[in-house]
Amino acid sequence: MIRVSRIVATLLAAGLLAAAAAAAADGIMLVRAGAFWMGRDDGAADETPAHRVYVRDFWIERHKVTNAEFAAFLNAKGLRPVGAERRYDEDDPDARVHLRDGRWVADTSFEHHPVVEVSWFGARDYCAWRGRRLPTEAEWEKTARGADRRVYP
């Protein structure tokens, strides 16, 4: 299973995009078009070199996807489509959504915490289920870094 680090998974899952008409209703924010510095010169090989990238205006969700929200998705769509990768690593000790009596439920007192242990496939499918899409790598990085080249915002 392709797994994304916890922070990336929650940010990716949180990175739901939608049309401008829904902005006032569901907590999305506009990230303005423009160039920014993507990558870094002192990081892992797949992050180098730092380079300028331009992205168009896009909308991104302000809030992380919660365990309760992801449990509702798993109840609607299942852990994995036939012949496909798992959407969620329920066996991981950090997982806070579990199958109980045939239904996916968030652990008590973790319902409103950000979901972790979501695969890239799960994040993508969750977004599609909500009628949205994952941000591109460049969109996510522009949102996280801002215009001032923050490494760890």
Side-chain angles (χ1 to χ4, degrees):
M1 174 170 116
I2 296 174
R3 286 208 309 185
V4 182
S5 73
R6 271 189 224 163
I7 188 73
V8 173
T10 56
L11 288 170
L12 287 175
L16 303 174
L17 303 172
D26 67 359
I28 61 173
M29 62 184 232
L30 176 65
V31 178
R32 294 277 178 201
F36 75 102
W37 285 97
M38 184 170 173
R40 50 194 291 186
D41 292 325
D42 62 347
D46 64 345
E47 297 175 353
T48 61
H51 56 287
R52 296 284 284 169
V53 173
Y54 178 87
V55 296
R56 297 176 183 249
D57 284 351
F58 62 97
W59 294 88
I60 193 162
E61 179 67 41
R62 289 180 183 269
H63 307 286
K64 297 176 175 104
V65 175
T66 67
N67 288 311
E69 291 168 330
F70 202 77
F73 161 71
L74 289 174
N75 284 321
K77 301 305 264 179
L79 182 61
R80 80 173 73 204
V82 175
E85 296 286 335
R86 280 196 307 190
R87 294 173 168 138
Y88 180 70
D89 188 5
E90 80 282 6
D91 298 331
D92 190 281
D94 293 327
R96 297 289 177 241
V97 177
H98 294 93
L99 192 60
R100 292 194 183 102
D101 298 323
R103 294 204 39 84
W104 292 97
V105 294
D107 292 350
T108 303
S109 76
F110 286 92
E111 297 89 349
H112 302 293
H113 288 227
V115 67
V116 296
E117 303 308 327
V118 175
S119 71
W120 180 88
F121 301 100
R124 177 201 61 193
D125 294 351
Y126 176 85
C127 291
W129 180 67
R130 293 278 317 269
R132 304 190 182 184
R133 68 169 176 86
L134 280 174
T136 66
E137 182 179 1
E139 289 168 341
W140 180 86
E141 193 162 333
K142 178 175 169 76
T143 304
R145 285 188 172 226
D148 59 0
R149 300 176 89 170
R150 287 172 275 169
V151 177
Y152 302 108

